[in-house]
Every structure is written in C-alpha cells, then in structure tokens.
Amino acid sequence: MKIVIAPDSFKESLSAVSVAACIEKGFREIFPDADYVTLPLADGGEGTVDVLLQGLAGQKRTHQVQGPLGEQINAEWAMLEASDSNPNKTALIEIAAASGLDLLTPEQRDPLLASSFGTGLLILEAIEEGAQTIIIGLGGSATNDGGAGIVQALGGRLLDNKGHELNRGGAALSKLASIDLTGLDTRCADVELIVACDVDNPLCGENGASYIFGPQKGATPEQVLLLDKAIANFAQIAESQGCVGGDDPVHKRAGYGAAGGAPMGLGLLFDMQMKPGIEMVLDVLQADEVLKDADLVITGEGQMDNQTLQGKTPYGIAKRASLQGIPTIGVAGSLGSEVEALYGEMSSLFGTVRSPQPLNQVLQEADSNLTRTARNIAATLKLGQEIIE
C-alpha cells in the first residue's frame, strides 16, 4: 500500500515537514509495512522556500536588507542550480522574508509606512547572483504599498507633482504624480518572473488589498480608505503613462491584491507570470509523478474551512489526487466553517484538538494531537478492511 502524505504547515506550531512526520508516525503504528512517501507542501506563502528545497537541489542564501519599517534584518532566500528538468538558474524568494508581518510586533504594524523595499533588494541580489528565473511567493506581508518599494529598490523613481521622490510606504502613493523607470536595472528585462499567490483579490475596491488584508496589518477603517485610494492612484498613473500592458484595468485584475498589491509594482518591472501558489509548488515538485500508483493521500493545514477552497494546499493536492482516482483524507488542527464543500474532493476530514483549550496549549500539543489523530484514522481504516473481509 502506497500512502502519500502531502500537508502544509500548521501555522505557529508545526512546519510542513513536521506535520508529515507526525502523520507518518501515527500511521506506522497501524500500517508498519506500508510504502510512505512524504511530500511537504506550501501554497506560496511562508515556508515555500523550505518546501521546494526538500525536493530540489539548491542552497539557501542570507542577505542583509531593510525590513518593512526600514530596520536592518537578515533575510533568507534560495538559489536552485540549473538541471535537466529546470534549465534556468532559479531564485526562490518569499516576500515574507524581508517584508513580512511576522517581522513586526502587533504594536509595530503600520501599513501606511511599511515598504516592500527589502524584497526588492532580495530580487536585486538574486539578479546579481545570476538568476534567470525568479519565483516569488506572496503571502504574509506587512505591506500595503502596491509593490512600490520593490520598484524603488530596483531603480524606479516615484515622483510627486514637484518632481521629488516619494517616501516609502503605501500612504505616500496618494501623492504620486509620475513614474520614472529610466533608471531601472536593465537586467530585469531578461528575467523570467513567476509570482505565486493563493488569493484572487483585485488590487482595489471592497475586495481589494486594503479592505481585505489591511486590517490584519494594523490599518484602521480610515486608513483602509486612504490606502485604497493611494494604490488606486498608483494604478491610474501607471496606466496613463503606459507602464503596464494588457486590456483589462489594473485595479480589477485577479490576484493583484495579494501581498498588499505587490503584483502592481512587479508588473511594472518584469514580464510577469502569475500562478496559484499551490499549483506552482505542485508542478515544480512534480507531484503528479509522486502520486502515481498511490492508494491514499493524506493532507492538511492548521485550519480547514471554506477558505481552503480558495487555492489552499489541501484542496490543490486533493484535486490532483482526484484526477488519478486516489482518495484523500484531510487532517487539520481545527475544522472551521462550511467545510462540507470540501467533501467534493476529500473523502473525510478530521480535526486534531481534543477539547476546548487555551491557544498556547493547543500549539504546544500540536505534534502529539496530530500523531494520535493520524493513528486513529489508520486504525479506523484497518477496522474497515477487517469488517469488509
């Protein structure tokens, strides 16, 4: 029996690698002789670089850059060497590494001032190191600047009506009058940029970057309005100057609301491809090949709910498994609202928390709860086999 264990991380408690190990440990108690294949996954957010390095040859790098509020930090990224399956030298970058929400305390969060400049410096470092392809995972950002900081880091100039360069941060974009890309690093034109994101929100409006994600980054209702107008101004100036291609208005493009609107700025600099994060990860790790001849797939994430259907890891791997006729079981720290919709792709869903508990206790016991739940799932499967026989 071949069992593929392909989970995402359980946020704040277990990495995807640890989750897979716990599930395998629990299952081995009941099915010690099964063929287990672990495939830790991510959907473009935090942990994506580590997940991809599990299955690909590459090395992590550390570069000193500026964090969301200008503080000096050491940010990690990775470089994959060229291979037969991946002919380009490829850099892996997470926007969260240099511009992430986790780099700030709740009291420090300030989307009016937070900038993606540090992410731009990581991109520049990757280009300096010879990257031909750059994959950027959008998730967990502290910024709401439409990727303006990335533009500034790579040589673009954002100017007010007096020709002065704007300060960094989303609020400053309300004063944007013109965009000058003449000083842009010319090597950007030769780089293939793949942007991995797990949301389809547009740049602006009630479902856009500022309204949907601004509050978790510290924005008040008044600041949400200000930031939405500021990013809309950025998009309008870019379109009026012919800086962006395409027929549909930039502010309505699906996915442009990810990471505080970062695709807006990235689209000014690169010939950008946008892909659902989980689909990109599954393709790079050749998941379809891994799934061949599997009898069962087990996946999961910290909380599974109706948002899981919006391009999250469990839904992505379950769809791939379904195409090959392989059943999938989902395991989560907790099951949220409207999980019934997931039954279209998964055979069954399990939560691991034993009883109402304080959050810190839930996080501390995540590994034991997960291992026990996996063991119980396996025992139930074995019992079902015995009853049928």
Side-chain angles (χ1 to χ4, degrees), residues 77-121:
W77 61 287
M79 183 73 85
L80 304 178
E81 295 302 324
S83 64
D84 290 340
S85 60
N86 180 38
N88 285 353
K89 195 173 182 181
T90 301
L92 307 176
I93 295 173
E94 296 174 14
I95 196 168
S99 311
L101 197 61
D102 287 347
L103 299 174
L104 304 174
T105 66
E107 295 75 25
Q108 290 174 319
R109 295 173 184 177
D110 189 348
L112 300 182
L113 300 179
S115 170
S116 56
F117 190 84
T119 298
L121 294 179

Side-chain angles (χ1 to χ4, degrees), residues 353-370:
V353 177
R354 291 183 291 111
S355 60
Q357 297 172 320
L359 178 60
N360 64 337
Q361 184 177 355
V362 171
L363 298 178
Q364 290 172 2
E365 298 180 357
D367 54 350
S368 58
N369 287 341
L370 178 57

Side-chain angles (χ1 to χ4, degrees), residues 278-317:
I278 183 57
E279 298 301 325
M280 181 276 294
V281 170
L282 292 173
D283 288 343
V284 171
L285 294 179
Q286 298 182 317
D288 293 334
E289 286 297 315
V290 175
L291 290 171
K292 280 186 177 178
D293 302 319
D295 298 289
L296 175 67
V297 172
I298 308 172
T299 186
E301 62 180 343
Q303 175 164 307
M304 295 176 68
D305 53 27
N306 58 340
Q307 291 298 309
T308 303
L309 292 167
Q310 309 302 315
K312 298 294 186 179
T313 293
Y315 187 59
I317 188 66

Side-chain angles (χ1 to χ4, degrees), residues 28 33 39 82 105 153 186 226 235 254 262 289 292 331 340 377 388:
R28 279 192 181 277
D33 299 325
L39 186 68
T105 66
T186 56
L226 186 157
E289 286 297 315
K292 280 186 177 178
V331 185
E340 292 78 10
I377 294 170
I388 292 173

Side-chain angles (χ1 to χ4, degrees), residues 324-348:
Q324 296 191 35
I326 307 166
T328 298
I329 293 174
V331 185
S334 64
L335 299 177
S337 62
E338 301 177 33
V339 294
E340 292 78 10
L342 292 171
Y343 290 126
E345 297 294 345
M346 299 186 198
S347 301
S348 56

Side-chain angles (χ1 to χ4, degrees), residues 205-263:
E206 292 184 359
N207 289 315
S210 305
Y211 276 87
I212 300 301
F213 306 112
Q216 69 191 44
K217 301 176 185 185
T220 65
E222 293 77 15
Q223 290 172 338
V224 165
L225 292 172
L226 186 157
L227 289 166
D228 186 62
K229 290 179 180 178
I231 291 183
N233 183 53
F234 187 17
Q236 191 276 322
I237 296 295
E239 287 183 320
S240 67
Q241 292 188 199
C243 298
V244 290
D247 297 327
D248 54 326
V250 176
H251 69 278
K252 292 184 178 180
R253 293 182 186 176
Y256 269 55

